[in-house]
Amino acid sequence: MEEKFLNYDIPNFVKESPNYLKLFEKEHIILKNKHDKWGIYFSEELGHPLEYKENLGKVDYVYDSFLEAYSQADNDGEVWFSDEIAHEVFGEPEDEDLNEKGEFGNLSDDFFWAKHQLIFRHHGDYNVKNLENEYQEWKNLDKKVKEDSFTHENFLLIYEWLRTHPNFWKENVHGNRVFWETAHMNLNFMDIYPTSSETSGKIEWWAEGGYHVLDDTDVLYATTYYHDIALDCGGNTYEQAVLNFAKNVWLQTHGMLKDKEARRDAIFERWAKDSGCVNTL
């Protein structure tokens, strides 16, 4: 795989997916010549193209307007056009439309209105840049989470940290299209349900779940979750069960859940032995 596809700050498991390159698309770049005619450069590269400036002589300027060119470019790829063209077609931006560099909008996700039509411009690596942004947002949350953070006062922080945790990112593939589900509002990677305490008879909440499956040949890459009983926990309330589960995730990813992992492994070994699955050779 070319280095340019790997030079993104995203989790390695995304780059290691067999579908990774499907996140990239070819760019269709709208251009204008000195005769006020419009043309399209159809890049042959996936992602943000490096070669298009060397091939501008191959562009046919056959369209009379930007919208005519856009209607042809907006097909099976990402459309891009320069800030200069954006200024000409859509007018000077308001201050709130400029990013911190003074550029027109957020260059990874621009949209404009023209004659009641919504116009988008994206680079060919738009999907991966979005994953970079989402990963950075989670890392910013992760910096705030410490071992003693799992309290009711911090519930909203912990909930957001947990529901966007990369270990629960899920890949969705539809033909040649792929996207990653990076946020789970309903925490659908875990089960939380009420149960009755055997000792007090009071209602308690039980939580169990696990990370996405990456290395099982029987299921598609990162499309399902396994049940890691080392993460199992309970709480007197729903919120406490979520906090306890999230803390187990934090402890495990910091190598601090060894006792529960050892008990889990012993249970699995016993199950395997009882079912005759242990290799005794």
Side-chain angles (χ1 to χ4, degrees), residues 17-274:
S17 166
N19 302 300
Y20 178 53
L21 288 182
K22 291 181 180 180
L23 289 170
F24 297 88
E25 298 194 56
K26 295 179 180 180
E27 278 187 31
H28 301 164
I29 303 173
I30 298 178
L31 303 164
K32 185 181 181 183
N33 67 12
K34 61 182 179 181
H35 304 295
D36 291 334
K37 297 287 286 185
W38 298 83
I40 307 167
Y41 177 71
F42 293 92
S43 174
E44 292 301 318
E45 290 187 40
L46 290 173
H48 190 21
L50 303 177
E51 92 292 2
Y52 86 94
K53 291 184 179 180
E54 303 170 1
N55 293 280
L56 293 184
K58 301 177 182 179
V59 175
D60 293 325
Y61 293 88
V62 296
Y63 305 106
D64 294 322
S65 70
F66 169 86
L67 289 179
E68 185 182 357
Y70 182 86
S71 67
Q72 298 299 315
D74 187 27
N75 182 33
D76 193 28
E78 296 288 3
V79 179
W80 184 257
F81 45 89
S82 67
D83 278 4
E84 289 74 21
I85 287 178
H87 291 166
E88 177 181 342
V89 175
F90 305 104
E92 291 296 320
E94 302 292 338
D95 288 343
E96 59 267 24
D97 294 327
L98 299 174
N99 65 14
E100 64 274 9
K101 297 180 181 179
E103 298 166 322
F104 203 138
N106 179 346
L107 296 187
S108 68
D109 184 16
D110 278 347
F111 62 91
F112 310 86
W113 283 99
K115 295 183 179 180
H116 308 293
Q117 181 179 358
L118 190 59
I119 304 295
F120 290 96
R121 68 167 185 177
H122 297 147
H123 280 305
D125 60 355
Y126 166 71
N127 295 319
V128 183
K129 296 294 287 186
N130 271 348
L131 289 179
E132 264 196 331
N133 292 338
E134 290 163 1
Y135 188 42
Q136 184 59 54
E137 289 178 5
W138 179 82
K139 289 197 295 184
N140 291 339
L141 290 173
D142 191 50
K143 292 176 182 177
K144 301 177 182 179
V145 177
K146 310 298 180 185
E147 186 175 359
D148 60 356
S149 299
F150 299 87
T151 64
H152 285 280
E153 292 76 13
N154 294 323
F155 183 77
L156 293 180
L157 166 65
I158 298 302
Y159 193 94
E160 187 68 14
W161 173 85
L162 180 64
R163 80 179 190 91
T164 58
H165 198 295
N167 283 356
F168 303 109
W169 286 15
K170 186 177 181 181
E171 187 180 61
N172 293 275
V173 181
H174 300 280
N176 290 324
R177 301 282 183 173
V178 59
F179 69 94
W180 283 85
E181 188 178 351
T182 61
H184 308 272
M185 182 60 70
N186 297 320
L187 303 180
N188 58 355
F189 47 80
M190 58 188 293
D191 291 320
I192 308 179
Y193 52 89
T195 184
S196 178
S197 170
E198 294 181 358
T199 56
S200 66
K202 294 182 179 180
I203 297 298
E204 297 178 344
W205 289 83
W206 187 253
E208 55 189 39
Y211 309 136
H212 49 217
V213 179
L214 301 177
D215 54 3
D216 189 331
T217 57
D218 292 330
V219 296
L220 296 176
Y221 190 87
T223 58
T224 190
Y225 304 104
Y226 65 88
H227 177 198
D228 185 352
I229 62 175
L231 299 176
D232 288 1
C233 59
N236 293 327
T237 63
Y238 175 91
E239 290 82 359
Q240 191 60 56
V242 171
L243 289 168
N244 290 344
F245 183 88
K247 185 170 185 178
N248 281 344
V249 171
W250 189 93
L251 291 171
Q252 189 174 62
T253 55
H254 286 78
M256 300 167 63
L257 205 66
K258 299 299 185 184
D259 289 346
K260 288 187 176 182
E261 290 173 337
R263 290 196 293 271
R264 172 202 63 196
D265 294 344
I267 290 173
F268 284 160
E269 185 176 350
R270 187 169 63 250
W271 284 348
K273 184 177 180 180
D274 292 343

